[in-house]
Amino acid sequence: MTVQKPSLPRKTARSSGRDAYELLLEGIENGTLPAGTRLRETELAQRFSLSRTPIREALKRLEQQGLITHQPHQGMAVTSLDYNQIAELYALREMLEGMAAQLAAQHASATEINVLEEMVAADRVRIDDVTTLARTNRAFHQQLRDAGRNHYLAQALENLRLSLALLPGTTLGAPGRGAASVEDHALIVARIAARDPGGAEEAARQHIRNAFKTRIQLLQRQFTD
């Protein structure tokens, strides 16, 4: 009697499409697919062990989100942002993050405020670990927007985060920026805990202005190094 081994479950077209999108997005976010990278369906399919169909669907979705661009006679490439586009992103982020902090000061529960305080305390001991700090920084801003209780604002910030993923590296790697960013977060949380919407908004807006200043300095360094 022959015993058949159970076959491995096949990926459905839907799951393959989702996998392709998430793999490509992760590559853009972590810098393995930096701005300007040419994206060829065949090469990507081989790289991720997927068929070309889900890769094509993922590329189409990323193009709709503005993360990749179709270049005439060259094909798809990860979008490169010019200075004006970067400035526009930070201007919008300043406004939206300020609103998120303002709403958090009005709606965050005591437990949510405590979570934010604990996140700041934990980040103070990891300021030299840029990779981890970048991840916990995203988590902090996610918690901040969740505490604001506004679905549409949270969605707008998530869309903006995807566009910011096109920027190379992280400003938290600049000398002194990690520690300064954590203290910015501490001030935002303090204003939220004090139920000071205006103060929380201004602290958040200043935090983004500080990040933009560091980004400009990093861009300048690219042309002088």
Side-chain angles (χ1 to χ4, degrees), residues 15-221:
S15 66
S16 295
R18 184 174 62 250
D19 291 344
Y21 172 79
E22 291 176 351
L23 287 167
L24 287 169
L25 180 58
E26 181 182 3
I28 294 171
E29 288 183 315
N30 64 24
T32 58
L33 293 174
T37 301
R38 293 280 298 279
L39 301 172
R40 298 178 177 87
E41 287 181 17
T42 302
E43 294 177 0
L44 292 171
Q46 293 175 345
R47 178 173 179 173
F48 297 126
S49 299
L50 293 168
S51 70
R52 292 178 62 179
T53 298
I55 292 293
R56 188 180 304 117
E57 293 172 352
L59 290 174
K60 194 173 300 182
R61 181 178 175 188
L62 289 166
E63 183 180 17
Q64 291 172 344
Q65 293 175 323
L67 299 183
I68 65 173
T69 305
H70 187 274
Q71 301 176 340
H73 312 298
Q74 295 184 7
M76 294 288 193
V78 179
T79 302
S80 296
L81 300 178
D82 61 28
Y83 181 85
N84 286 338
Q85 290 172 310
I86 295 171
E88 289 168 2
L89 282 174
Y90 273 97
L92 181 58
R93 189 183 181 198
E94 178 188 331
M95 181 180 67
L96 295 179
E97 293 283 4
M99 185 178 296
Q102 179 189 55
L103 291 173
Q106 296 171 321
H107 302 298
S109 67
T111 299
E112 288 171 317
I113 293 172
N114 184 244
V115 167
L116 288 168
E117 291 170 338
E118 290 179 350
M119 295 177 83
V120 170
D123 281 345
R124 280 186 170 131
V125 300
R126 59 167 68 101
I127 56 174
D128 295 324
D129 184 350
V130 177
T131 300
T132 301
L133 193 61
R135 186 177 67 252
T136 57
N137 176 71
R138 289 193 294 271
F140 175 87
H141 284 279
Q142 177 67 58
Q143 181 60 43
L144 187 65
R145 71 186 67 157
D146 288 346
R149 304 283 197 282
N150 189 301
H151 169 78
Y152 297 102
L153 175 61
Q155 186 61 54
L157 280 164
E158 177 59 19
N159 293 337
L160 184 62
R161 185 190 70 79
L162 293 177
S163 296
L164 289 167
L166 295 168
L167 299 178
T170 171
T171 57
L172 297 172
R177 179 57 194 155
S181 177
V182 173
E183 294 313 309
D184 284 351
H185 287 179
L187 181 57
I188 294 169
V189 177
R191 292 297 86 211
I192 291 172
R195 301 299 182 185
D196 177 6
E201 178 184 12
E202 178 53 33
R205 292 180 72 114
Q206 184 60 53
H207 173 52
I208 303 304
R209 288 195 290 266
N210 292 341
F212 181 40
K213 180 178 179 180
T214 302
R215 177 62 66 182
I216 292 173
Q217 293 168 341
L218 291 176
L219 291 171
Q220 290 174 337
R221 194 172 303 163

Side-chain angles (χ1 to χ4, degrees), residues 13 71 222 225:
Q71 301 176 340
Q222 290 179 1
D225 287 350

